[in-house]
Amino acid sequence: MYTSWLWDTEVTGSILCMGRRQDNYFTLLNSSGFEQSSLPHMASSYSVLVTGALAPLCVAVAWALYRYRSQPELIWSVDVKTQMALRRYVLFESTHGKPDSVLQTFKEYARRDILVKELLFTLEQDIFLANAVTQSLPLTTLVLGTQCGYSVIKLLSLLPQEGKVYAVEDEDNMADSAEEMILVAGFKNNQFKLLCQHPVDAIHVLKSQCGLKGVDLVLMDYKCDQYIHGLQALLEVGALHPGTVILANNTNHPTAKDFMNHLHGAGSYRIVDCCNGLLKVGYVGPNSQDGH
């Protein structure tokens, strides 16, 4: 609806503008002594010229607007009502203390709510994540963008008993819901720590107040256009070490373009694999080209 209105407004305005210019042009010709019989022919030629020049421009504008409006909108949070409904469903339908049961209950509820479905990994991404953990054997994991808690529960279920997950979520209600779901899944407070802060701020707090020295695996699942700032903060506090695995979700979305260009242009990262937008990157160490 918006695109159609904008299209009509822009095209109509352009045509009116060109029409006024055309009228002024022929008025000037008439006052300058041009024969009246030649004016209709010139007017016809001018109209054809204007139409021929304007049509490709209109098509280009329409295509640009279509591409902009047709981009899928990413979802990182849901409203409080949906959060409460999801919490109730998991509390009543899952087997408490069983991570697989809680994860499956998330999936069941997602079949009836498309917004919740957007917060969860697909089956292929679940397998991809499990393989990444199996191959890297991390002990300390950082999740930037906890959302409903699904990814943290998944990671905790894959880590060894001594493993720990630091989770970050900057939306208050989502953070509360996620913490409750993690506890319902059977994990203890000494196995994870959840901070309700912006990812960049949380990284510095983890370093200064929680004694975080380094992470073996980082999962980034928040606003893609802020991924670069997250990487820079991790480098500033010295949290990355050669061998650290970085998993970044939704990298197939246009908002991740700068992040992808940054990875390709920097010498500190090696792109390993990708599954439905979930990108696996290896940190290979400081590089002089990065300025670190």
Side-chain angles (χ1 to χ4, degrees):
M1 194 72 176
Y2 169 80
T3 302
S4 175
W5 175 85
L6 184 57
W7 163 265
D8 293 341
T9 302
E10 290 188 353
V11 173
T12 302
S14 299
I15 291 174
L16 290 174
C17 181
M18 296 302 292
R20 288 194 296 271
R21 291 180 182 177
Q22 179 178 337
D23 292 341
N24 294 336
Y25 177 68
F26 287 111
T27 300
L28 178 61
L29 288 178
N30 192 23
S31 64
S32 300
F34 276 87
E35 295 182 7
Q36 294 290 333
S37 60
S38 65
L39 289 178
H41 175 71
M42 294 179 65
S44 176
S45 300
Y46 186 84
S47 298
V48 171
L49 178 62
V50 169
T51 303
L54 187 60
L57 176 62
C58 293
V59 172
V61 171
W63 176 246
L65 290 172
Y66 168 77
R67 288 293 301 275
Y68 175 78
R69 297 290 295 175
S70 62
Q71 295 296 349
E73 183 179 356
L74 294 178
I75 297 174
W76 293 277
S77 181
V78 292
D79 59 87
V80 176
K81 182 178 179 180
T82 301
Q83 293 174 32
M84 295 300 296
L86 175 61
R87 290 167 74 173
R88 285 195 300 268
Y89 188 83
V90 173
L91 286 172
F92 285 107
E93 301 298 330
S94 69
T95 302
H96 292 202
K98 300 291 184 181
D100 290 341
S101 175
V102 172
L103 293 173
Q104 182 58 35
T105 309
F106 271 118
K107 295 284 190 182
E108 291 173 1
Y109 189 84
R111 295 192 188 104
R112 65 175 72 178
D113 193 316
I114 186 64
L115 295 179
V116 173
K117 183 179 180 180
E118 292 296 319
L119 298 178
L120 310 183
F121 285 159
T122 64
L123 176 60
E124 294 80 9
Q125 289 178 321
D126 279 338
I127 297 172
F128 187 80
L129 175 64
N131 288 337
V133 173
T134 302
Q135 294 165 7
S136 60
L137 300 175
L139 289 179
T140 304
T141 302
L142 174 63
V143 176
L144 301 176
T146 303
Q147 300 169 3
C148 62
Y150 181 91
S151 58
V152 174
I153 296 172
K154 187 68 178 178
L155 279 170
L156 283 168
S157 68
L158 295 169
L159 294 180
Q161 190 65 31
E162 66 273 21
K164 185 165 185 174
V165 173
Y166 292 94
V168 177
E169 172 57 48
D170 64 353
E171 207 276 311
D172 292 350
N173 292 319
M174 289 292 286
D176 291 340
S177 296
E179 185 169 26
E180 183 177 10
M181 295 298 97
I182 296 168
L183 293 171
V184 167
F187 297 106
K188 308 302 181 184
N189 287 315
N190 64 338
Q191 293 177 279
F192 74 97
K193 184 174 183 62
L194 196 153
L195 276 69
C196 183
Q197 287 182 298
H198 185 278
V200 172
D201 295 333
I203 289 170
H204 289 281
V205 169
L206 286 171
K207 173 68 174 181
S208 61
Q209 299 181 20
C210 303
L212 181 67
K213 296 181 179 179
V215 292
D216 305 313
L217 187 146
V218 181
L219 173 60
M220 308 176 79
D221 196 5
Y222 57 111
K223 294 182 179 180
C224 305
D225 56 3
Q226 298 181 18
Y227 282 177
I228 294 178
H229 304 303
L231 278 183
Q232 291 173 339
L234 289 168
L235 289 170
E236 288 173 5
V237 302
L240 301 182
H241 60 79
T244 295
V245 173
I246 301 165
L247 296 173
N249 200 17
N250 298 312
T251 56
N252 53 352
H253 193 269
T255 56
K257 181 179 179 181
D258 290 342
F259 174 71
M260 295 300 296
N261 290 337
H262 177 74
L263 293 179
H264 286 294
S268 297
Y269 309 99
R270 179 176 62 89
I271 296 177
V272 180
D273 202 356
C274 188
C275 175
N276 297 338
L278 182 58
L279 186 72
K280 180 181 178 182
V281 180
Y283 178 70
V284 298
N287 186 280
S288 58
Q289 295 178 354
D290 303 332
H292 300 294

